[in-house]
């Protein structure tokens, strides 16, 4: 159906708005999630580097540090402490 059949622009906008909003929310999620892949890639690279040198203790220290940062950020973002918005389960992501 073309834009000028049965209702014109108004119907076209009403039909496509949910599609546009779904696409926009998916894009926003990708923009938010995409940087985490960079951090995961760096973690894998450093893990391999230190493991090859036999310094597995450093890998464990880095992983523990990452877990502690995650715990603090979860607490801040889930419950909205220190002026951050209360996001509920979305804050755990």
């Amino acid at each position: 159906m073309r834009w000028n059949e049965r209702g014109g622009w108004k119907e076209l906008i009403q039909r496509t708005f949910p599609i546009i909003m779904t696409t926009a929310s998916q894009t926003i999620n990708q923009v938010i999630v995409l940087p985490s892949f960079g951090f995961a890639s760096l973690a894998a690279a450093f893990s391999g580097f230190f493991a090859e040198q036999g310094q597995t203790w450093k890998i464990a220290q880095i992983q523990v540090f990452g877990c502690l940062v995650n715990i603090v950020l979860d607490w801040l973002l889930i419950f909205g402490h220190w002026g951050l918005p209360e996001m509920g389960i979305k804050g755990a992501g």
Side-chain angles (χ1 to χ4, degrees):
M1 175 166 64
R2 295 189 319 205
W3 72 271
N4 58 356
E5 296 175 2
R6 294 189 310 151
W9 287 106
K10 185 177 181 182
E11 183 181 331
L12 178 67
I13 291 170
Q14 289 174 345
R15 284 188 300 116
T16 58
F17 186 74
I19 298 168
I20 292 170
M21 291 309 295
T22 302
T23 305
S25 67
Q26 290 171 351
T27 303
I28 290 170
N29 287 337
Q30 289 172 353
V31 168
I32 292 171
V33 172
L34 210 56
S36 67
F37 292 122
F39 291 118
S41 298
L42 281 174
F46 281 118
S47 179
F49 176 76
F50 287 123
E52 180 64 28
Q53 293 184 351
Q55 298 178 5
T56 54
W57 184 247
K58 284 188 180 181
I59 298 170
Q61 290 174 334
I62 292 169
Q63 293 294 329
V64 168
F65 175 75
C67 288
L68 293 175
V69 168
N70 189 25
I71 290 170
V72 171
L73 288 176
D74 282 347
W75 178 71
L76 290 173
L77 292 173
I78 291 172
F79 300 111
H81 296 291
W82 291 356
L84 295 172
E86 183 177 343
M87 298 177 70
I89 194 66
K90 289 182 182 179

